[in-house]
Amino acid sequence: MSVVLVHYHLSPGGVTRVIESASRCLTAAGVPHVILTGAPPPTVTDLPVHVIEGLGYLNDVASHTPLRLVHAMRATVQDAIGLGPHVWHFHNHSLGLNLLMDEVVSTLAEAGEKLVLQIHDLAEDGRPKNYPVIAESETLYPLAPQIRYAFLNSRDRTWFHHAGLPLERSMVLPNPISAPATPDGAPAAGTPARVLYPVRGIRRKNLGEVFLLAAISPPDTRYAVTLAPVHARWKPYFDDWFAFASDSGLPVDLAVVDRIAPHPGASSSFESWLGQATHLVTTSVAEGFGLGFLESAALGKPLLGRNLPMVTQDYAAAGITAGRLYDRILVPIPWVGLETLRQHLTRYLQDVLDAYGKPLHNSCVDRVFDAIRFRGYLDFGNLPEDLQRQVIHRLMAGGDRDALQVEIGGTVKPLAPWLEETLSHREPTATPDQLAQYSPDAYRERLVALYSELEATQPGAPTFLPKHLVLDEYLRPENFNFLLT
């Protein structure tokens, strides 16, 4: 058995960390493997990386064709690890980042190659700008005995099953967990809460909610977000929040790593910020696996913020309480206004459905409009940024703090006292010992078992999952969020 790991790039990010972990696991298990990617890694690496022209982000095919790309991949793999047979492990093949990728995968499927198609993110799931790249594909999701789909959470696996993917040809493959860095120092005893959000501030990370929490936190509490986004698409949203931090005077610092220090005399490194944090926070409205929920336990830091049942239900099934989390922050509807909300919704829905090739009907607006209201309240995390700032301005201008509620497991209580009590806790809700089931060793065992199972299968001719049925699962009204448009 030998393995080919395939991804568009190895730039810093969650998928790259998973691929690096997988490579080290395979090396430890004695499994020959190679990593194919579309661009040289940004830093020197000892991993078996080979760069294939045309394998990166590709919106203009130019001289590339699927068959040429497959030929180049096969030739590189043969030179590196021999004739095979191989298991080809693709990451995010269907995300709409390369015009040729669906045909590359289907070509290999039709040739009877053993494939793992690992889904980290989906064009169908809050990435409408990606969807036109794959909109015409009829071979995006191949099905055959020698093909397995690997999902990061049970929700995505279930929804693909509803669309026609046999459960026995899929699995949940959780990411391996290890502390992302070694904290430098520790907060002094009695330090007011220093709350760190260790992410790039892309739109779905819901930075507005950090500002809301800061506006209602006890005095002297400060919040920080580690990094700015890299992709040009997310920069305007981030820049607006950066300006808002200055204009509002709220205790929130953005893009702090290598720019400002957590206190005078300290380093501005990520490790320094991590060391001085009393808490970690998450306000994201969507994640595939949600490394941050478990990394807090690996670091011994308490986590607070927004619950994402799509990922935390798997942790709960494993006996892990991922943090002190709320399901929604509830804002009274009059703070926004129903007509204002509906106007925003209609405009956003039109853009989303246009990208997905779906018509906008009044009945669709009505269904989503009903789905985003909760007994006279709206969820702050499902408001566009300008309306989030409107709510924060109202709060800062003397709005009734007790009008803001937090919903946890169906119970509603005032946000301010819940937040004050939560920030008083300095211990995590999970322990490093509970993470053993997500360790690199456990991940290696899962990978080897998956590849061994595929090695023993007899290949068959592929059929293809109807792509529109997958899209329908993700476009249900209750799944709409302004920050995923």
Side-chain angles (χ1 to χ4, degrees):
M1 177 175 61
S2 58
V3 176
V4 184
L5 303 172
V6 186
H7 188 50
Y8 309 101
H9 61 78
L10 291 177
S11 299
V15 178
T16 294
R17 285 177 59 189
V18 170
I19 291 171
E20 290 171 344
S21 294
S23 178
R24 300 195 190 285
C25 287
L26 293 175
T27 297
V31 177
H33 67 283
V34 65
I35 302 171
L36 302 185
T37 185
T43 58
V44 176
T45 179
D46 60 346
L47 302 179
V49 176
H50 294 262
V51 177
I52 306 292
E53 185 181 357
L55 194 55
Y57 293 173
L58 189 66
N59 293 317
D60 180 7
V61 297
S63 61
H64 300 288
T65 69
L67 287 178
R68 286 178 183 169
L69 187 51
V70 169
H71 176 75
M73 294 166 69
R74 285 188 186 279
T76 298
V77 170
Q78 181 175 332
D79 288 344
I81 54 176
L83 287 171
H86 311 299
V87 175
W88 297 74
H89 188 150
F90 284 81
H91 293 263
N92 275 346
H93 83 285
S94 65
L95 191 52
L97 296 173
N98 184 311
L99 281 164
L100 304 178
M101 191 56 64
D102 67 309
E103 290 189 60
V104 167
V105 168
S106 63
T107 297
L108 293 171
E110 288 166 351
E113 296 282 5
K114 313 294 177 71
L115 301 178
V116 175
L117 303 178
Q118 183 162 356
I119 307 293
H120 299 260
D121 306 292
L122 287 152
E124 295 90 340
D125 187 17
R127 289 170 175 79
K129 302 299 184 185
N130 293 30
Y131 197 77
V133 174
I134 60 173
E136 302 303 317
S137 174
E138 299 300 328
T139 59
L140 189 64
Y141 296 118
L143 304 175
Q146 72 276 12
I147 300 173
R148 294 291 180 275
Y149 284 79
F151 298 98
L152 299 184
N153 60 69
S154 297
R155 185 206 69 167
D156 288 334
R157 185 187 187 211
T158 298
W159 287 3
F160 265 72
H161 175 57
H162 292 165
L165 173 64
L167 281 178
E168 66 272 15
R169 294 182 184 174
S170 68
M171 67 178 298
V172 174
L173 182 62
N175 290 336
I177 295 291
S178 56
T182 301
D184 181 5
T191 301
R194 296 290 180 261
V195 188
L196 185 68
Y197 197 5
V199 295
R200 289 197 180 275
I202 61 176
R203 195 180 188 201
R204 65 180 168 90
K205 299 300 182 180
N206 185 19
L207 298 187
E209 200 153 292
V210 176
F211 285 88
L212 181 70
L213 293 175
I216 209 165
S217 289
D220 298 324
T221 305
R222 291 201 67 86
Y223 290 75
V225 178
T226 52
L227 296 169
V230 173
H231 198 294
R233 180 180 169 193
W234 308 123
K235 194 171 185 301
Y237 299 102
F238 183 84
D239 289 347
D240 285 345
W241 286 118
F242 201 94
F244 184 76
S246 176
D247 295 343
S248 68
L250 288 169
V252 180
D253 296 305
L254 301 180
V256 296
V257 169
D258 296 331
R259 188 178 71 86
I260 57 178
H263 61 77
S267 164
S268 62
S269 68
F270 176 70
E271 292 78 10
S272 178
W273 276 98
L274 201 57
Q276 296 305 310
T278 60
H279 301 75
L280 302 182
V281 67
T282 176
T283 55
S284 178
V285 296
E287 297 292 334
F289 178 65
L291 279 169
F293 287 104
L294 299 183
E295 285 178 341
S296 59
L299 291 163
K301 301 277 184 178
L303 176 73
L304 66 111
R306 178 170 288 269
N307 185 29
L308 293 178
M310 60 184 284
V311 295
T312 59
Q313 64 183 358
D314 289 339
Y315 309 152
I320 295 174
T321 300
R324 297 176 178 90
L325 308 173
Y326 50 79
D327 298 312
R328 298 183 182 95
I329 291 180
L330 299 176
V331 177
I333 286 177
W335 284 35
V336 174
L338 281 178
E339 185 56 35
T340 298
L341 181 67
R342 190 175 181 94
Q343 289 173 359
H344 278 73
L345 178 62
T346 302
R347 186 172 72 251
Y348 275 72
L349 272 178
Q350 184 70 68
D351 290 343
V352 169
L353 294 180
D354 281 350
Y356 284 127
K358 299 278 189 178
L360 176 64
H361 301 296
N362 286 336
S363 59
C364 176
V365 178
D366 291 341
R367 290 196 302 273
V368 176
F369 195 55
D370 289 342
I372 63 176
R373 290 179 289 164
F374 308 94
R375 302 181 298 278
Y377 289 93
L378 304 170
D379 182 4
F380 183 87
N382 196 358
L383 294 175
E385 289 84 353
D386 56 341
L387 296 186
Q388 288 187 336
R389 286 187 280 271
Q390 177 180 313
V391 169
I392 297 169
H393 279 303
R394 179 161 179 162
L395 180 64
M396 294 176 64
D400 181 10
R401 290 162 59 93
D402 289 340
L404 297 179
Q405 306 282 311
V406 62
E407 180 183 338
I408 303 172
T411 300
V412 174
K413 59 183 71 176
L415 171 60
W418 175 85
L419 184 56
E420 181 175 8
E421 179 186 359
T422 297
L423 288 171
S424 72
H425 295 290
R426 299 294 173 98
E427 75 287 343
T429 57
T431 67
D433 290 344
Q434 291 178 308
L435 302 184
Q437 56 203 309
Y438 296 103
S439 70
D441 286 345
Y443 187 68
R444 182 181 70 238
E445 291 174 4
R446 291 187 181 101
L447 280 183
V448 171
L450 170 61
Y451 299 149
S452 297
E453 177 188 336
L454 279 179
E455 189 182 29
T457 61
Q458 293 299 314
T463 58
F464 297 92
L465 192 66
K467 185 175 75 284
H468 70 278
L469 296 181
V470 175
L471 180 60
D472 288 346
E473 288 294 314
Y474 287 88
L475 285 188
R476 289 180 294 182
E478 62 270 25
N479 296 332
F480 175 83
N481 190 293
F482 282 101
L483 304 182
L484 299 177
T485 59

